[in-house]
Amino acid sequence: MGRVPSGNSFAKVRLRGFKFRAGSSSGILLPNLPTRRAAQVTEYSFDIWSIHGAGAKEREKHADFDAWRNTVTLRIPFVAFAALALLLPAAALASDTPKPTDILFNRPHISNIAAGTVLDYKFTRKPSNEKMLGAGFTDDITVTVESDATEGKKNVLVQMYTGDRARDPQRITGMDGNPMMVVCLDNAVSHFRELAGGDNAYLKNTFSRYLAERATIKPVKILYKGEDVDGYEITATPYADDPAKSKMGGFENATFKIALSEKIPGYLARVIADINNTDKAAPTLVETTTLEGVGDVK
């Protein structure tokens, strides 16, 4: 296990009895704090980080995690969850329903997407109490397939947000997985942490293992550009039974839903992070990331 010493200082704020953190964490910047600062990784666990979709030379190049400190880009958040795919068989279940980790991390999501294609995702943040959690907003996250790399791999450009919220665009080379898979998951965990507190590496490890061992997946119909297509929805409540849930301020029942389909470019249709609270007086947060053209999931 290794940890990068955190360069962030978090300001603990108490509002009506609830404790929050103001600042940035693990490469995800709080959406209500506009900035173009590059992503930062503050901590990681050697057991759960890997480089999904990168070639052997790149894996060797970055085998020493200390090297990431000064060269971190969106590739760091992207790999946060992918290590579980290296620990588990790539084959799906005996039935036609895939394992959550298989469809999330082992499929070539973008290998057949033509260069020049832009996957446009709408990110919506809806806090129940804007005075406590900051203003809600809707913004774009785009993944542009810029060019072909080696066979089946693509070079992509990820742009997080626009205008004052925009971050520096990040290029990722030689990928076949959709970087939005883990960008969304990392975003969800980071924003959960801003409300519930806790160690970032612990929360990611818990979420990853939950996806591998306990997350449910069911067939669904996804409305895409006016037509229903076959897909799957993964549901995870990774902290509901966690031994440390009593320290999570009532946010332990947060629910994460991920809708995917091979009939949709990039596979990823929608991610919903419902960070609710057992105390009805507490603030809550719902964040939704939806591919352009996607409607109801049922």
Side-chain angles (χ1 to χ4, degrees), residues 52-70:
H52 175 61
K57 290 184 179 179
E58 189 166 3
R59 286 192 179 93
E60 181 179 355
K61 178 181 177 182
H62 298 293
D64 181 357
F65 282 90
D66 287 340
W68 289 103
R69 295 188 192 184
N70 299 319

Side-chain angles (χ1 to χ4, degrees), residues 184-254:
C184 288
L185 289 169
D186 204 56
N187 220 20
V189 171
S190 182
H191 295 165
F192 171 83
R193 183 191 182 209
E194 297 298 341
L195 296 180
D199 178 78
N200 198 60
Y202 176 85
L203 294 174
K204 284 183 178 179
N205 191 20
T206 299
F207 202 126
S208 295
R209 293 193 178 281
Y210 191 94
L211 285 174
E213 299 168 4
R214 299 181 60 191
T216 62
I217 182 169
K218 66 178 183 180
V220 293
K221 294 289 186 180
I222 301 173
L223 184 64
Y224 179 61
K225 293 187 175 180
E227 296 184 4
D228 283 334
V229 299
D230 293 329
Y232 297 97
E233 185 176 63
I234 298 167
T235 301
T237 53
Y239 311 113
D241 297 321
D242 191 271
K245 68 178 184 179
S246 64
K247 300 178 181 179
M248 295 181 180
F251 292 102
E252 65 272 10
N253 292 325

Side-chain angles (χ1 to χ4, degrees), residues 31 121-127 135-141 161 187 191 271-273 285-290:
Y121 295 88
K122 194 72 67 177
F123 174 83
T124 301
R125 181 177 188 270
K126 293 184 178 180
F137 68 89
T138 297
D139 209 337
D140 292 314
I141 304 174
Y161 309 136
N187 220 20
H191 295 165
V271 176
I272 299 176
L285 179 65
V286 177
E287 294 182 335
T288 305
T289 305
T290 309

Side-chain angles (χ1 to χ4, degrees), residues 52-93:
H52 175 61
K57 290 184 179 179
E58 189 166 3
R59 286 192 179 93
E60 181 179 355
K61 178 181 177 182
H62 298 293
D64 181 357
F65 282 90
D66 287 340
W68 289 103
R69 295 188 192 184
N70 299 319
T71 61
V72 62
T73 68
L74 276 180
R75 284 190 290 182
I76 298 300
F78 174 69
V79 301
F81 287 84
L84 259 293
L86 301 179
L87 303 179
L88 297 170
L93 297 173

